[in-house]
């Protein structure tokens, strides 16, 4: 890990009211005043983005949880990367397993979104991860599922993505079995997944480009396991779901990581 750790909060479809969202943000804002050593990105539901941006501390960064691939037009219900950019959002999560599962998002759709996000000069956070646990064997060789699933997800998402754009890319390794279950990945397995993703990036581009891409971990991250997962697995940061909705727990994650 070379730079400041990247801590991305994925609030998903929470909290239920803007007042709660504001309270959560105010607690994080207080901590941001003291925090110079981590880059913290909040990804709230779309409808809270604009108001939260206006009350946030300058060093707090925002992102969206999804977007469409066109700039504007007759696409009912959609939000474009350009709109997000104009609002002041800097990151967009794409390919989250929940979107793949509940909205049937394919690798082809994710590839179109990824290119649109990069074209708007935003940072895509591409989520990849295998379905089942025990995907690595005890001797540390990557087994078929991890290499097939992650390899395919990364390669298909990056079709026709020029090397010049890659430096803005963040890849989140989120094993599906670890999301919302309380069972996080071991730091050894997270490290193996990171190495594997860098190998694919090296094959697709080259080593210096592969090293510029930030690779973060997501799946049951807490203040207890975050140091092990980031420093122990040499990752660039974390994508936090459930724990980012608990103000004191999220602040603790920020505190322990900035040490
Ligand atoms: P949890 O931290 O709740 O497991 O969620 C992880 C996640 O899906 C972040 O995108």
């Amino acid at each position: 890990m070379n730079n400041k750790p990247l801590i991305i909060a994925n609030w998903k479809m929470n909290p239920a009211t803007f007042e709660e969202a504001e309270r959560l943000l105010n607690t994080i804002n207080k901590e941001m005043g003291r925090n110079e050593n981590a880059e913290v990105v909040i990804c709230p539901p779309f409808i809270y983005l604009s108001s939260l941006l206006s009350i946030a501390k300058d060093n707090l960064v925002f992102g969206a949880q999804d977007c469409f691939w066109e700039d504007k037009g007759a696409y009912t219900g959609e939000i474009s990367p350009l709109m997000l950019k104009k609002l002041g959002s800097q990151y967009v999560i794409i390919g989250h397993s929940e979107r793949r599962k509940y909205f049937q998002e394919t690798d082809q759709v994710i590839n179109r979104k990824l290119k649109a996000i990069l074209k708007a000069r935003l940072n895509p956070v591409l989520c990849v991860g295998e379905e089942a646990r025990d995907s690595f064997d005890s001797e540390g060789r990557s087994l078929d599922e991890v290499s097939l699933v992650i390899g395919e997800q990364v390669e298909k998402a990056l079709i026709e993505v020029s090397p010049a754009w890659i430096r803005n890319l963040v890849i989140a390794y989120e094993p599906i079995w670890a999301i919302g279950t309380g069972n996080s990945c071991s730091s050894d397995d997270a490290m193996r997944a990171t190495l594997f993703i860098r190998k694919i990036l090296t094959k697709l581009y080259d080593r210096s480009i592969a090293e510029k891409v930030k690779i973060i971990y997501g799946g049951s991250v807490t203040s207890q396991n975050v140091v092990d997962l980031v420093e122990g697995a040499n990752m660039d940061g974390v994508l936090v779901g459930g724990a980012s909705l608990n103000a004191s727990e999220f602040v603790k994650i920020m505190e322990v990581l900035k040490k």
Side-chain angles (χ1 to χ4, degrees), residues 10 12 96 98 174 178-180 219-221 239-242:
N10 178 8
K12 307 191 180 183
H96 194 283
E98 287 150 16
E174 289 210 309
I179 296 177
S220 295
V221 171
L239 179 54
V240 190

Side-chain angles (χ1 to χ4, degrees), residues 8-12 93 96-98 127 172 174-183 217-222 238-245:
I8 305 183
N10 178 8
W11 286 3
K12 307 191 180 183
I93 298 171
H96 194 283
S97 58
E98 287 150 16
C127 300
E174 289 210 309
I176 296 172
W177 54 264
I179 296 177
T181 59
N183 298 315
Y217 169 80
S220 295
V221 171
T222 65
V238 278
L239 179 54
V240 190
S244 71
L245 296 167

Side-chain angles (χ1 to χ4, degrees), residues 95-97 100 106-107 110 126-133 135-136 142-158 171-177 193 196-197 200:
H96 194 283
S97 58
R100 294 180 194 256
T106 61
D107 289 315
I110 293 159
L126 169 68
C127 300
V128 298
E130 78 283 3
E131 188 96 41
R133 200 168 192 166
S135 300
F136 291 103
S142 62
L143 291 182
D144 288 352
E145 198 192 350
V146 169
S147 30
L148 273 180
V149 174
I150 303 185
E152 199 173 307
Q153 288 174 341
V154 172
E155 288 194 24
K156 290 190 170 164
L158 292 175
I171 297 183
Y173 171 56
E174 289 210 309
I176 296 172
W177 54 264
F196 183 69
I197 293 169
I200 299 168

Side-chain angles (χ1 to χ4, degrees), residues 229-240:
L229 283 163
V230 173
E231 289 167 18
N234 201 24
M235 308 215 64
D236 296 298
V238 278
L239 179 54
V240 190

Side-chain angles (χ1 to χ4, degrees), residues 3-257:
N3 305 309
K4 292 179 179 184
L6 180 62
I7 307 174
I8 305 183
N10 178 8
W11 286 3
K12 307 191 180 183
M13 200 172 73
N14 298 293
T17 66
F18 178 69
E19 288 66 33
E20 288 172 84
E22 201 177 16
R23 266 202 301 278
L24 189 52
L25 192 84
N26 283 334
T27 310
I28 299 165
N29 254 343
K30 278 190 206 129
E31 178 64 15
M32 285 314 289
R34 298 190 287 263
N35 190 333
E36 295 287 317
N37 301 324
E39 179 162 10
V40 180
V41 182
I42 307 294
C43 302
F46 283 130
I47 58 160
Y48 302 153
L49 250 179
S50 171
S51 310
L52 293 181
L53 261 159
S54 68
I55 57 170
K57 280 255 160 55
D58 285 348
N59 55 348
L60 194 54
V61 172
F62 281 82
Q65 299 172 17
D66 185 34
C67 69
F68 193 56
W69 58 73
E70 295 289 351
D71 288 345
K72 61 179 180 136
Y75 305 103
T76 302
E78 294 299 322
I79 307 275
S80 78
L82 196 65
M83 291 169 178
L84 293 168
K85 173 87 179 175
K86 295 231 180 276
L87 203 64
S89 179
Q90 294 182 34
Y91 285 79
V92 187
I93 298 171
I94 43 157
H96 194 283
S97 58
E98 287 150 16
R99 293 214 58 89
R100 294 180 194 256
K101 179 177 171 191
Y102 299 120
F103 304 96
Q104 290 76 46
E105 284 201 4
T106 61
D107 289 315
Q108 196 193 12
V109 163
I110 293 159
N111 170 252
R112 292 185 83 167
K113 291 185 175 185
L114 185 102
K115 286 188 280 194
I117 295 164
L118 289 170
K119 195 178 117 212
R121 301 191 182 257
L122 292 165
N123 304 290
V125 181
L126 169 68
C127 300
V128 298
E130 78 283 3
E131 188 96 41
R133 200 168 192 166
D134 300 327
S135 300
F136 291 103
D137 72 9
S138 55
E139 286 164 17
R141 293 182 298 258
S142 62
L143 291 182
D144 288 352
E145 198 192 350
V146 169
S147 30
L148 273 180
V149 174
I150 303 185
E152 199 173 307
Q153 288 174 341
V154 172
E155 288 194 24
K156 290 190 170 164
L158 292 175
I159 289 172
E160 293 170 359
V161 174
S162 113
W165 295 103
I166 284 295
R167 97 179 79 92
N168 291 341
L169 175 68
V170 177
I171 297 183
Y173 171 56
E174 289 210 309
I176 296 172
W177 54 264
I179 296 177
T181 59
N183 298 315
S184 70
C185 185
S186 71
S187 58
D188 278 358
D189 286 350
M191 178 142 67
R192 266 177 238 143
T194 308
L195 292 173
F196 183 69
I197 293 169
R198 290 218 195 275
K199 213 161 108 188
I200 299 168
L201 294 170
T202 305
K203 185 184 89 179
L204 295 177
Y205 299 96
D206 63 38
R207 195 150 160 234
S208 72
I209 290 173
E211 277 165 7
K212 286 195 183 84
V213 174
K214 287 189 175 165
I215 303 179
I216 63 176
Y217 169 80
S220 295
V221 171
T222 65
S223 60
Q224 300 291 312
N225 61 22
V226 69
V227 173
D228 195 32
L229 283 163
V230 173
E231 289 167 18
N234 201 24
M235 308 215 64
D236 296 298
V238 278
L239 179 54
V240 190
S244 71
L245 296 167
N246 176 329
S248 60
E249 177 64 2
F250 189 65
V251 163
K252 232 185 259 170
I253 290 174
M254 290 162 64
E255 276 170 2
V256 292
L257 260 196

